[in-house]
Amino acid sequence: MPGNGTRKSWRPRLAAATAMLVSCSVLAGCSGPDGVSGTGKVVLRYTWWGNPDRAARTQEAVDLFEKKHPGVEVQTSFSGYDAYKQKLATQAAGGDAPDAMQLDYRMIDQYASGGVLLDFAEQRATLDTGEFDAGLLATGKVDGKQYAIPQARGTETVVYDVTRWKKAGVDLPREGWTWSEWADAMRELAERTGMPGATDPGQSEDAFEVWLRGRGKALYTEDRRLGFTVDDLTRWWTFTDGLRREGAVSPAEQTTQLDGTVENTPLGRGKAISDSNWDAPSSGFVALVPDGITLAPMPYGEDGTPGQYFKPSMFMGVAADTSHPKESVQLVDFMLNDPEAAKILGATRGIPVNETLREEIAPGLKDFDRTVFDYQASLEGKLNAPPQAPPSGDSALQTTFQRDYDQVSYERMSPREAAEDYVTEAKAELRS
Amino acid sequence: MTTTEIPATARTRQPDPPGKRPRTRRREGAAWVFLSPWVLGAAVLTLLPMAVSLYLSFTDYDLFNPPRWVGLRNYTQMFTEDPRYWRSVGATLTYVVIAVPLQLGLALVVALALKSMRRGRGFYRSAFYAPSLLGASMSIALVWRAVFNDGGTVDNLLGTGGWVNRPGWALFAVALLTVWQFGAPMVIFLAGLQQIPAELYEAASVDGASRRRQFLSITVPMLSPVIFFNLVLQTIQAFQVFTPAFAVSAGKGGPADSTLFYTLYLYDRGFVASHMGYASAMAWVLLLAIGAVTAVLFRTSRNWVFYASEGDR
């Protein structure tokens, strides 16, 4: 089309400007194409959940990685578990999953089958899994493909304010104690200190699982259906709700604030004497409980059946659509196999799964890392085998579990009504 | 009026005066160039997502796997099998009924006070408007949560315990956050008040009308179009409230589902439980509900909204 001079000159410029605008908004931050920074470095995004203690050590390890790989820049971000879970799901759905990410046992099935994760076989040369226990490594497989690498091993624990507990003159927790002995201890603690003995475990699907396994049952059957009945859940919630009414465990106002961070637990706020949690994240309590904390095993079933188990505490995965699969897998390899990184990270994510490194760092572990190591060693060979990875729907059910128990602890529903609600929704969730 | 005498078909063939036609076309082209960001935005960011969401509302879609057509199942499940859905509807309606009148009432009171103020009006207007700019942010919502939590400022001052931890109070704490952001309707009220001719008040006081009488017989009727405008706008916004409840309840709509607003439950279904189809269906029901409520407001407005120009007809 013919036109005058002015028209000719502005049109291409406008088009270029528009193109820039559009591409800028697509490639967030206008850092240039495919995650390469202005300085020509490869930029990787690495996200994880955890507490400030883990944040400091992770950053230190990442700095070391950047020093060893001068061409790579790693941008890290972290949050509490609940927030992380939601954010990651949103990013993954939008095709914007971070290059390297920390994953939970409960996420793997969904993310792998949804095509979000890279099959590590594609970068076999970059990642060495020779030092990993084969059984543990297999927990990161879906349909025979290695989509995630276990990062550490963890188990549940009763974490308690040891000074307060001793001062109250109540017998300290011991291995093999039963749920009824636990309940008695909570009542005594509350009576003598005027403070609830523990976080109300009724809201926790994890605690329920330990209790359930102590009775010889499981959350899910092998064919991925619900492994328990309305009666089982009613019994559990009646038990915890009774303790709440007696003041032996935290009141609803405290329990409802739980969001997966240690800061918002009653123990972390100085309003209870103990909490049940996974062992590694309990390190966050060190900064919050000035008198010191100790770990004890979870209560056993009344006939002495242990309900807790060793589980791969978390995994690392790489996005299937990352622009830099090699560098991303290098980062994973570094976090799991580098001896210096292992020393920095200690047991902040649990005891390392690399067996050589585990032995290497064991003597050097100190403070809380030592506590976790000794705690796990004390349970070695005593626990039952872990269940298989939970089905996809479980991720949403964890939140539902907490919400339904809210209805019980605020006395808006009876334990049975809430249990019926939960089981109905769980069945629907697992069907779809 | 001359152009109407030319038949439509003939008009397009009518040759323009020399030199005029290309210029018009060029202007038209320029208009499209300048409009293109908006047109593109509307098409790509609004119309397309709406169409996709309508389609998804008839499917089962978990974000990761391809959508599966399920017909009306999402809608029937919502209305007949989901007690939490109805709890979210209840929480939202309660919130709208509490927050909107409180917010508009406060906005009007402050606007009246500012109108009669002689000095420092600009300062106070900005000061009262500031929360509307800040209030929608996540950080303020988090501060709100800390203030109304147990051990927070309100707890210390009033000794009432944490509001956000009690099912009966949490919704009120969230509503207060909205009410506090009364700046936008306040500015609109203020503009409306300044449009009311001073002679009306002068005439009324000459006739011996009290302040109350003047307010009810002059201010309210003269202001009714503005009140109506604010009411519609704030009601629509209130139905879609999300950020305050999300932050105050840490994303869960608690305690005991008391702040589980419609949009929060929608978000939960979509992004936490990965039921995008169900969430889309919820979104469309919300759209229709807001449309219906707005239509009702417009219908009733005939009875109470007074336009000054009506007198001329």
Side-chain angles (χ1 to χ4, degrees):
Chain A
M1 255 211 273
N4 59 32
T6 28
R7 210 166 125 197
K8 243 182 200 163
S9 62
W10 64 254
R11 195 168 263 184
R13 263 191 245 161
L14 191 76
T18 314
M20 271 253 287
L21 261 175
V22 170
S23 57
C24 265
S25 57
V26 172
L27 305 164
C30 228
S31 61
D34 293 342
V36 176
S37 77
T39 52
K41 281 188 181 179
V42 168
V43 178
L44 298 181
R45 284 185 301 149
Y46 168 36
T47 63
W48 47 275
W49 74 87
N51 56 37
D53 168 55
R54 189 181 284 171
R57 298 208 227 171
T58 304
Q59 194 54 52
E60 204 183 322
V62 165
D63 290 344
L64 185 65
F65 175 79
E66 287 178 330
K67 215 159 140 199
K68 290 190 173 181
H69 300 83
V72 185
E73 185 187 324
V74 183
Q75 295 171 347
T76 60
S77 69
F78 79 102
S79 51
Y81 180 67
D82 283 7
Y84 181 81
K85 197 169 75 172
Q86 293 181 12
K87 191 177 166 194
L88 190 64
T90 314
Q91 287 177 323
D96 187 36
D99 300 287
M101 61 199 117
Q102 186 171 309
L103 297 163
D104 186 69
Y105 211 14
R106 298 169 190 268
M107 300 171 178
I108 296 175
D109 184 74
Q110 185 175 36
Y111 282 25
S113 56
V116 177
L117 299 175
L118 183 84
D119 177 3
F120 277 96
E122 288 174 27
Q123 295 287 331
R124 202 181 299 275
T126 316
L127 178 71
D128 177 16
T129 53
E131 299 290 329
F132 287 51
D133 174 72
L136 208 56
L137 196 60
T139 55
K141 281 187 181 172
V142 176
D143 299 331
K145 288 182 183 167
Q146 192 80 45
Y147 286 109
I149 311 287
Q151 200 166 5
R153 185 181 78 168
T155 185
E156 279 196 89
T157 179
V158 171
V159 48
Y160 62 98
D161 182 333
V162 60
T163 315
R164 276 203 172 134
W165 192 305
K166 275 185 186 156
K167 245 190 224 160
V170 179
D171 289 344
L172 287 180
R174 51 172 192 84
E175 201 209 308
W177 60 339
T178 62
W179 280 100
S180 52
E181 286 169 329
W182 170 82
D184 288 340
M186 294 307 115
R187 286 190 193 101
E188 274 184 69
L189 283 170
E191 206 172 290
R192 295 189 194 175
T193 63
M195 189 187 273
T199 305
D200 186 345
Q203 46 76 34
S204 162
E205 198 197 28
D206 289 335
F208 173 60
E209 185 182 26
V210 171
W211 179 84
L212 201 60
R213 282 169 55 97
R215 304 170 70 91
K217 296 196 172 186
L219 278 185
Y220 302 104
T221 61
E222 276 176 22
D223 55 353
R224 324 199 129 208
R225 284 170 211 254
L226 217 54
F228 61 91
T229 61
V230 173
D231 284 343
D232 292 318
L233 187 52
T234 305
R235 190 167 294 151
W236 166 248
W237 278 345
T238 308
F239 171 62
T240 59
D241 188 47
L243 289 170
R244 182 193 59 78
R245 285 169 192 263
E246 292 173 47
V249 296
S250 62
E253 291 78 19
Q254 292 291 327
T255 314
T256 194
Q257 297 185 39
L258 296 172
D259 61 359
T261 66
V262 290
E263 287 82 0
N264 285 330
T265 59
L267 175 63
R269 296 161 147 256
K271 298 199 171 184
I273 295 172
S274 73
D275 187 50
S276 51
N277 205 327
W278 293 91
D279 52 4
S282 298
S283 70
F285 285 116
V286 174
L288 301 169
V289 183
D291 292 338
I293 47 161
T294 299
L295 305 181
M298 292 290 281
Y300 285 40
E302 301 305 319
D303 63 354
T305 310
Q308 72 179 102
Y309 55 89
F310 284 120
K311 102 168 183 177
S313 60
M314 58 198 69
F315 297 79
M316 274 189 91
V318 168
D321 58 359
T322 172
S323 313
H324 307 287
K326 187 156 180 270
E327 287 83 356
S328 304
V329 177
Q330 267 173 355
L331 177 65
V332 175
D333 181 63
F334 176 83
M335 296 296 282
L336 300 177
N337 288 326
D338 188 277
E340 286 181 72
K343 260 180 213 142
I344 295 169
L345 293 169
T348 179
R349 284 184 171 81
I351 304 303
V353 283
N354 179 320
E355 289 171 9
T356 313
L357 289 183
R358 188 189 305 176
E359 283 165 32
E360 231 171 72
I361 70 159
L365 288 176
K366 33 183 209 285
D367 306 331
F368 198 76
D369 288 351
R370 183 88 243 161
T371 311
V372 173
F373 186 85
D374 291 344
Y375 171 63
Q376 290 204 359
S378 77
L379 292 168
E380 204 79 58
K382 292 178 186 162
L383 304 181
N384 290 336
Q388 64 180 10
S392 293
D394 173 72
S395 194
L397 286 174
Q398 252 184 320
T399 320
T400 306
F401 194 89
Q402 199 176 354
R403 284 185 169 162
D404 279 335
Y405 187 64
D406 243 18
Q407 301 286 343
V408 177
S409 58
Y410 279 107
E411 303 181 14
R412 297 193 158 195
M413 276 187 195
S414 70
R416 176 160 295 275
E417 284 166 344
E420 275 165 3
D421 265 18
Y422 178 80
V423 169
T424 309
E425 187 162 343
K427 281 182 179 163
E429 198 69 54
L430 295 172
R431 237 196 345 259
S432 60
Chain B
M1 286 294 117
T2 48
T3 45
T4 47
E5 285 152 23
I6 304 164
T9 45
R11 206 195 317 164
T12 52
R13 285 187 196 140
Q14 188 81 5
D16 282 320
K20 197 167 184 190
R21 199 173 151 198
R23 194 178 296 155
T24 323
R25 191 186 272 177
R26 201 187 304 150
R27 280 213 188 139
E28 218 172 75
W32 279 110
V33 167
F34 284 106
L35 270 175
S36 64
W38 184 86
V39 171
L40 261 174
V44 177
L45 301 175
T46 306
L47 294 175
L48 189 69
M50 278 181 78
V52 172
S53 132
L54 184 61
Y55 163 70
L56 286 180
S57 76
F58 299 108
T59 67
D60 193 1
Y61 177 46
D62 69 355
L63 289 169
F64 301 108
N65 298 301
R68 199 162 42 89
W69 186 264
V70 294
L72 288 172
R73 205 189 74 186
N74 287 329
Y75 293 92
T76 53
Q77 192 184 340
M78 192 186 311
F79 293 131
T80 59
E81 296 165 32
D82 189 352
R84 193 159 266 133
Y85 174 81
W86 288 108
R87 259 177 258 153
S88 79
V89 170
T92 309
L93 289 176
T94 315
Y95 169 80
V96 170
V97 169
I98 292 177
V100 175
L102 271 179
Q103 188 196 32
L104 292 185
L106 192 61
L108 184 56
V109 168
V110 175
L112 284 167
L114 285 181
K115 191 202 164 203
S116 56
M117 193 178 244
R118 296 192 175 192
R119 275 160 139 224
R121 191 196 288 176
F123 169 77
Y124 283 105
R125 199 172 46 198
S126 314
F128 284 122
Y129 189 73
S132 300
L133 300 174
L134 302 170
S137 72
M138 200 65 177
S139 46
I140 291 289
L142 289 171
V143 169
W144 212 257
R145 184 180 177 202
V147 167
F148 287 95
N149 209 334
D150 63 335
T153 319
V154 169
D155 182 13
N156 290 336
L157 286 176
L158 306 175
T160 54
W163 288 18
V164 295
N165 314 325
R166 300 202 218 164
W169 292 65
L171 188 121
F172 196 67
V174 176
L176 268 186
L177 178 53
T178 309
V179 172
W180 180 59
Q181 301 165 47
F182 60 83
M186 176 201 73
V187 168
I188 298 171
F189 276 140
L190 198 56
L193 286 173
Q194 283 163 350
Q195 296 296 314
I196 303 175
E199 303 91 74
L200 290 180
Y201 292 103
E202 283 162 17
S205 29
V206 168
D207 288 345
S210 65
R211 296 289 295 264
R212 202 181 109 86
R213 189 76 241 168
Q214 290 182 21
F215 176 75
L216 290 176
S217 299
I218 301 172
T219 314
V220 171
M222 292 300 285
L223 204 59
S224 60
V226 178
I227 296 175
F228 176 63
F229 174 79
N230 272 337
L231 180 68
V232 171
L233 224 61
Q234 297 306 321
T235 306
I236 291 175
Q237 268 181 24
F239 268 105
Q240 302 177 61
V241 66
F242 178 79
T243 319
F246 183 83
V248 168
S249 71
K252 289 198 282 273
D257 294 346
S258 61
T259 60
L260 186 70
F261 293 154
Y262 198 94
T263 49
L264 206 55
Y265 189 51
L266 191 159
Y267 173 85
D268 175 79
R269 290 292 88 192
F271 291 101
V272 180
S274 304
H275 294 308
M276 239 350 130
Y278 193 82
S280 298
M282 280 186 71
W284 278 89
V285 172
L286 179 64
L287 180 78
L288 294 178
I290 291 178
V293 169
T294 313
V296 168
L297 285 178
F298 268 93
R299 198 43 77 76
T300 61
S301 76
R302 289 178 196 165
N303 303 323
W304 62 273
V305 176
F306 169 77
Y307 292 97
S309 59
E310 275 169 14
D312 303 340
R313 271 194 250 147

